[in-house]
Amino acid sequence: MKAVCWHGANDVRVDTVPDPKILNPRDAIVKITSTAICGSDLHIYDGYIPTMQKGDILGHEFMGEVVELGSAVKNVNVGDRVVVPFTISCGSCFFCNRDLWSLCDNSNPNAWLVEKQMGHSPAGLFGYSHLFGGYAGGQAEYARVPFADVGLLKIPDGLTDEQVLFLTDIFPTGYMAAENCNIKPGDIVAVWGCGPVGQFAIKSAYMLGAERVIAFDRIPERLQMAKEYGKAEVLNYEEVNIGEALKEMTGGRGPDACIDAVGMEAHGTDFMAFYDQVKQAVRLETDRPTALRQVIVSAAKGGHVSIAGVYGGFLDKIPMGAAMNKGLTFKMGQTNVHRYLRPLLERIQNGEIDPTFIITHTLPLEQAPHGYEIFKHKKDNCIKVVLKP
């Protein structure tokens, strides 16, 4: 089959690789009909995620048709259209039983690697390095889905791939980011980053009752999408001082909740952003937390900080004094996708949201390297790329 494979930083290729096979009675093989490039895929593309090996298949946002089932999979049938959560979860461990699906105890066979850095291992992830299981991803013609009896969600007739594809990751991720804000009527929510997750966080904040959403980015087409489709008040952080602007827009109080939808490769214009770039270049810091610093300082006293952007390692100069003395509440984590699949599918079916608004480019799988290039460098007004095998 054809698959998008990693060969090094800024080097992905479409290779011919062996077809996946059933390895466990709980496996399924899915013929992929739509897959997408995610912002967190760029962390791999840029070389910031360790333990990648040449030839690893990328991608964790994918859906398709079931073509083969292990003997233990009874919840779906061959021929069913399904979406596949990017987190791999067993469905029966301590954490899965508490709806903390992204913390599954049984799905990462390389847990010992992560435990050295993090103390405990989260769930395995599709196409996201050997730290998180070494699972082949879904930017391919076929994929093996472990724990298919738990993960696969059958899609009802009448919905296109484009309407439901983002249930695999970015819609639940944006929704959980907003849910973590503990939004109450009248709340003001600020969102750092108007990429795909930020766009869904904006929409979700309004669905959960926010009165106002203020969003920041530096890319004009992202700001326009947040304004037009998300109904957010938007600001270009290269043109204004975010902290001062938020005080002015909130009567001096600050936002009730702040969402970091940027993560480890944040851009910035001040000295601290330059400081991060230097420390990262000499391996004294792994991530650039410019957005996170702004979030902490800008949040209202007693406010909520929700982190949806991916962080991979160690950060420097975090204003914990501000966080502690302002009494902020932090919530974060990889998304518990399984928890949100059916509720968000219902919102799509009810017409509350049409996720297709996020798609700017649809390309054949063979053009994946071009897709990564335009997505990373924001060329051709690119915000979200869907690949068709």
Side-chain angles (χ1 to χ4, degrees), residues 260-373:
D260 174 0
V262 180
M264 65 189 290
E265 292 190 73
H267 293 268
T269 58
D270 59 5
F271 171 78
M272 291 303 292
F274 174 73
Y275 165 93
D276 285 331
Q277 290 177 347
V278 172
K279 291 206 72 172
Q280 189 182 61
V282 296
R283 300 295 188 263
L284 294 176
E285 178 181 37
T286 61
D287 304 8
R288 303 193 300 263
T290 300
L292 182 58
R293 293 191 193 103
Q294 291 181 358
V295 161
I296 292 171
V297 173
S298 301
K301 293 183 289 187
H304 285 74
V305 170
S306 172
I307 304 175
V310 171
Y311 288 92
F314 301 95
L315 319 181
D316 201 358
K317 298 293 187 293
I318 298 298
M320 287 308 295
M324 187 272 174
N325 287 287
K326 289 166 65 175
L328 302 182
T329 297
F330 284 69
K331 293 197 76 173
M332 65 197 82
Q334 296 285 3
T335 310
N336 301 307
V337 179
H338 300 62
R339 171 180 174 181
Y340 300 105
L341 286 172
R342 287 173 178 80
L344 295 185
L345 176 61
E346 289 181 8
R347 287 184 182 269
I348 295 170
Q349 290 176 300
N350 294 339
E352 295 178 59
I353 184 170
D354 179 5
T356 63
F357 80 91
I358 199 72
I359 302 170
T360 55
H361 291 71
T362 301
L363 301 173
L365 188 70
E366 290 78 8
Q367 293 185 23
H370 173 65
Y372 271 88
E373 177 72 9

Side-chain angles (χ1 to χ4, degrees), residues 134-343:
Y135 291 100
Q139 289 170 9
E141 292 180 307
Y142 295 87
R144 180 179 74 93
V145 179
F147 301 112
D149 55 329
V150 172
L152 295 183
L153 176 69
K154 181 180 177 181
I155 297 302
D157 294 337
L159 294 171
T160 66
D161 278 16
E162 288 74 14
Q163 286 177 287
V164 297
L165 173 60
F166 305 123
L167 288 172
T168 60
D169 180 0
I170 57 171
F171 186 10
T173 296
Y175 190 88
M176 187 172 111
E179 186 181 72
N180 284 345
C181 292
N182 193 31
I183 296 171
K184 295 180 173 59
D187 275 1
I188 301 172
V189 178
V191 179
W192 272 254
C194 296
V197 168
Q199 300 288 345
F200 279 111
I202 292 166
K203 301 282 284 186
S204 299
Y206 278 126
M207 284 194 287
L208 291 171
E211 181 172 311
R212 295 170 63 195
V213 179
I214 306 169
F216 315 105
D217 208 292
R218 66 190 176 98
I219 307 300
E221 54 270 22
R222 288 182 169 191
L223 291 168
Q224 181 61 31
M225 180 177 284
K227 180 179 180 180
E228 181 178 348
Y229 288 96
K231 310 304 179 186
E233 303 165 53
V234 299
L235 295 172
N236 186 326
Y237 67 76
E238 292 185 336
E239 299 174 355
V240 300
N241 180 292
I242 294 299
E244 292 177 3
L246 280 173
K247 283 184 178 180
E248 182 177 342
M249 297 173 76
T250 61
R253 191 182 74 214
D256 302 286
C258 295
I259 297 174
D260 174 0
V262 180
M264 65 189 290
E265 292 190 73
H267 293 268
T269 58
D270 59 5
F271 171 78
M272 291 303 292
F274 174 73
Y275 165 93
D276 285 331
Q277 290 177 347
V278 172
K279 291 206 72 172
Q280 189 182 61
V282 296
R283 300 295 188 263
L284 294 176
E285 178 181 37
T286 61
D287 304 8
R288 303 193 300 263
T290 300
L292 182 58
R293 293 191 193 103
Q294 291 181 358
V295 161
I296 292 171
V297 173
S298 301
K301 293 183 289 187
H304 285 74
V305 170
S306 172
I307 304 175
V310 171
Y311 288 92
F314 301 95
L315 319 181
D316 201 358
K317 298 293 187 293
I318 298 298
M320 287 308 295
M324 187 272 174
N325 287 287
K326 289 166 65 175
L328 302 182
T329 297
F330 284 69
K331 293 197 76 173
M332 65 197 82
Q334 296 285 3
T335 310
N336 301 307
V337 179
H338 300 62
R339 171 180 174 181
Y340 300 105
L341 286 172
R342 287 173 178 80

Side-chain angles (χ1 to χ4, degrees), residues 1-3 15-21 57 136 140 142:
M1 69 172 184
K2 299 293 185 183
D15 294 338
T16 300
V17 301
D19 291 344
K21 293 180 171 56
I57 300 174
Y142 295 87

